[in-house]
C-alpha cells in the first residue's frame, strides 16, 4: 500500500514538473511574440513620424496648383496628379496638342519647383513617374503601346522644349511608363480612364513596404 501511495506521489511530481516546463516554454514564446510585436509597432510609429514630409509635399503641390490657377486633379493621399487625355492629346494620338504643350509649359515648372523647394522634399521623393493610361476600349496591346508613347511624348517635351530652373535635377528623378488599361474600368469604356498621371514614389513608402514584407 505504501509503495502504491509513493508511486502516485512520484507520478504527480513528474506531471507537475512537465507542466512547469510547458508553462515556462509558453511564457517564453509569449514574451518573444510580445517583444517582436512591440518592435514592429515602434518601427511603424517611427515611419509614421517620417510621413510628415510626404504630407507637406502633397499640401504644397495642392497649394501651388491652386495659386497658379493650374486645374489638375490631385490625390490628397498619394500626391498623384491626373491630367485628362482631352487636355494633352487628340483621341488615339500620341502627339501633344498645342494646348497640351501650353499646359505642360505652365504645369512642370511649378510642379518641379515644389519637389526641389526644400532639401527634405527632394530626399523624400525617390522617383517621379509619368504614367500613360487608357480606357478598356479597343485592343489591350495597342492600348499599352499608346499609353507608353504618350508618356514618352510628355517626357520628351519636358526636357526638350521647356526651360525651368530645376530641369537638370528633375531629369535625374523622372521616368516614363505605360500602364495601358490596367487601372481602367473593365465593364465599360470610361473616358476618365484616358489620362496621364504624374506619380510620386516616396522613400518612406518603400521602407514601410520592406518592413511589412519582412514581418510576414
Amino acid at each position: 500500500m505504501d509503495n502504491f501511495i509513493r508511486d502516485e506521489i512520484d507520478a504527480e511530481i513528474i506531471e507537475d514538473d512537465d507542466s512547469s516546463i510547458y508553462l515556462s516554454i509558453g511564457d517564453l514564446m509569449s514574451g518573444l511574440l510580445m517583444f517582436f510585436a512591440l518592435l514592429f509597432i515602434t518601427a511603424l510609429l517611427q515611419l509614421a513620424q517620417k510621413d510628415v514630409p510626404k504630407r507637406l509635399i502633397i499640401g504644397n503641390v495642392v497649394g501651388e496648383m491652386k495659386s497658379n490657377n493650374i486645374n489638375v486633379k490631385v490625390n490628397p493621399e498619394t500626391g498623384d496628379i491626373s491630367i485628362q487625355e482631352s487636355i494633352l492629346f487628340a483621341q488615339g494620338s500620341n502627339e501633344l496638342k498645342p494646348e497640351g504643350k501650353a499646359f505642360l509649359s505652365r504645369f512642370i515648372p511649378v510642379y518641379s519647383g515644389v519637389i526641389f523647394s526644400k532639401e527634405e522634399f527632394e530626399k523624400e521623393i525617390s522617383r517621379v513617374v509619368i504614367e500613360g493610361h487608357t480606357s478598356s476600349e479597343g485592343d489591350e496591346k495597342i492600348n499599352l503601346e499608346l499609353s507608353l508613347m504618350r508618356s514618352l511624348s510628355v517626357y520628351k517635351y519636358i526636357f526638350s522644349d521647356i526651360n525651368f530652373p530645376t530641369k537638370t535635377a528633375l531629369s535625374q528623378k523622372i521616368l516614363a511608363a505605360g500602364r495601358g488599361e490596367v487601372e481602367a474600368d473593365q465593364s465599360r469604356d470610361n473616358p476618365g480612364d484616358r489620362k496621364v498621371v504624374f506619380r510620386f514614389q516616396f522613400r518612406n513608402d518603400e521602407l514601410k513596404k520592406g518592413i511589412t514584407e519582412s514581418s510576414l
Side-chain angles (χ1 to χ4, degrees):
M1 184 67 177
D2 290 341
N3 289 337
F4 176 75
I5 294 173
R6 190 179 297 109
D7 290 341
E8 286 292 316
I9 292 172
D10 290 342
E12 290 177 1
I13 291 172
I14 291 171
E15 289 179 0
D16 289 342
D17 290 342
D18 289 343
S19 298
S20 297
I21 292 171
Y22 291 140
L23 286 173
S24 297
I25 294 173
D27 291 342
L28 177 62
M29 293 301 294
S30 297
L32 286 172
L33 286 172
M34 182 65 72
F35 171 76
F36 285 114
L38 289 172
L39 191 64
F40 178 65
I41 291 170
T42 301
L44 286 181
L45 288 173
Q46 289 175 343
L47 286 174
Q49 291 293 325
K50 292 180 180 180
D51 268 350
V52 173
K54 174 181 174 180
R55 293 194 292 270
L56 288 174
I57 291 167
I58 296 171
N60 272 262
V61 168
V62 172
E64 287 299 312
M65 293 299 120
K66 288 182 178 179
S67 63
N68 286 277
N69 294 317
I70 299 174
N71 186 22
V72 290
K73 181 181 178 182
V74 184
N75 186 312
E77 299 297 323
T78 63
D80 292 354
I81 292 182
S82 299
I83 305 169
Q84 291 306 306
E85 171 199 54
S86 57
I87 296 174
L88 300 175
F89 302 99
Q91 188 170 356
S93 172
N94 67 301
E95 183 178 347
L96 280 165
K97 298 193 297 186
E99 52 264 48
K101 293 178 180 180
F103 174 85
L104 290 172
S105 295
R106 292 180 57 238
F107 166 71
I108 289 298
V110 176
Y111 181 72
S112 184
V114 173
I115 296 171
F116 299 101
S117 61
K118 295 182 180 181
E119 185 178 350
E120 61 179 324
F121 290 2
E122 182 179 353
K123 287 182 178 179
E124 177 61 22
I125 297 170
S126 60
R127 185 72 65 186
V128 178
V129 184
I130 306 171
E131 292 184 348
H133 293 257
T134 69
S135 72
S136 57
E137 181 183 32
D139 181 78
E140 183 178 359
K141 183 179 179 181
I142 292 175
N143 284 338
L144 182 59
E145 291 174 353
L146 176 61
S147 67
L148 177 58
M149 294 302 295
R150 283 180 167 180
S151 66
L152 286 171
S153 292
V154 172
Y155 179 95
K156 289 176 182 177
Y157 183 74
I158 291 171
F159 296 106
S160 297
D161 296 271
I162 306 176
N163 292 315
F164 53 102
T166 55
K167 184 174 182 176
T168 300
L170 182 64
S171 69
Q172 296 172 1
K173 285 187 179 290
I174 204 164
L175 59 83
R179 299 284 287 167
E181 57 186 73
V182 170
E183 297 182 12
D185 185 345
Q186 298 299 316
S187 64
R188 66 187 182 95
D189 174 29
N190 182 2
D193 291 330
R194 302 188 188 107
K195 61 193 175 185
V196 171
V197 176
F198 282 77
R199 177 164 291 166
F200 289 136
Q201 290 182 355
F202 292 102
R203 180 172 59 88
N204 279 323
D205 286 346
E206 295 169 0
L207 290 174
K208 279 183 181 179
K209 182 180 179 182
I211 288 176
T212 302
E213 288 177 349
S214 65
S215 67
L216 296 177

